[in-house]
Amino acid sequence: MKRAVCPGSFDPITYGHLDVIERASGLFDEVIVAVLVNRTKASLFNVAERIEMITEVTAKYKNVKVDSWSGLLVDFCSEHKVSAIVKGLRAVSDFDYELQMAQMNLQLKEVDTLFMATTPAYSFLSSSLVKEIATYGGDVSALIPPKVLTLVKARLLENGEHGRN
Ligand code: PNS
């Protein structure tokens, strides 16, 4: 079985992530969407919440599973018999860091990374921008699935942030 991992923070998952996950699911027998635990940066959603929303919005892809991990991605790959890491590349600005990680992961455990050019419509899209725009009342409905939008708005309200649109 050819298994790939789509790793990330997914705080929250966007249509840009879903684009890569959907296309990877057509190329591999199984795709694991893996949410990184233990990030030092503050998050809008905890890992269990992120797993729940990713599971819901990827439910139509029958060969997509959702999991979390902490530590090195290459260790997750060997534990789960993952043959490739699939990453979306939005623009040249992503490339330097992604290439560095890809080469390091290859060096560490001979895990290959495949870069997928994101659909141009999502080349500007990131979870951080979604959070920033939503915080200040901007419309992010074209950037995240409706279920995720509802959760983002509710969390921003809970946090005393704007979250109006
Ligand atoms: O969604 P993000 O925050 O851009 O995802 C980045 C992520 C989680 C994919 C990247 O930071 C990562 O792979 N971290 C795992 C830790 C690790 O293996 N570090 C060594 C990389 S060479």
Side-chain angles (χ1 to χ4, degrees):
M1 176 186 277
K2 287 285 175 202
R3 188 177 285 125
V5 65
C6 290
S9 304
F10 304 104
D11 186 44
I13 189 163
T14 69
Y15 281 136
H17 295 126
L18 281 170
D19 168 46
V20 172
I21 293 163
E22 178 182 279
R23 289 155 64 205
S25 80
L27 295 170
F28 287 87
D29 299 315
E30 187 175 288
V31 171
I32 306 176
V33 180
V35 182
L36 179 62
V37 186
N38 284 346
R39 291 292 289 260
T40 43
K41 69 180 180 192
S43 59
L44 190 60
F45 295 101
N46 67 36
V47 170
E49 290 169 333
R50 281 181 256 166
I51 288 178
E52 199 179 327
M53 70 179 91
I54 297 167
T55 303
E56 189 164 334
V57 298
T58 59
K60 63 182 165 187
Y61 310 118
K62 297 302 170 205
N63 62 343
V64 172
K65 293 182 169 176
V66 189
D67 203 346
S68 62
W69 96 100
S70 57
L72 291 179
L73 182 56
V74 287
D75 291 334
F76 178 89
C77 291
S78 32
E79 279 157 31
H80 293 81
K81 299 191 170 34
V82 165
S83 36
I85 298 166
V86 176
K87 291 292 212 57
L89 271 191
R90 289 166 297 194
V92 180
S93 50
D94 282 342
F95 186 72
D96 279 353
Y97 183 52
E98 291 296 343
L99 182 66
Q100 188 183 11
M101 283 198 290
Q103 290 176 327
M104 184 59 84
N105 286 333
L106 190 62
Q107 166 78 21
L108 285 169
K109 281 216 172 159
E110 295 188 3
V111 179
D112 279 309
T113 299
L114 302 181
F115 292 122
M116 191 174 269
T118 53
T119 298
Y122 302 129
S123 62
F124 57 88
L125 180 49
S126 71
S127 300
S128 314
L129 276 182
V130 165
K131 284 184 280 192
E132 187 172 321
I133 294 162
T135 298
Y136 295 107
D139 182 7
V140 292
S141 58
L143 311 177
I144 52 179
K147 171 75 188 174
V148 178
L149 179 64
T150 304
L151 294 167
V152 167
K153 284 198 275 190
R155 178 55 46 86
L156 290 173
L157 282 172
E158 257 173 58
N159 292 353
E161 306 279 4
H162 203 297
R164 198 179 46 192
N165 287 299

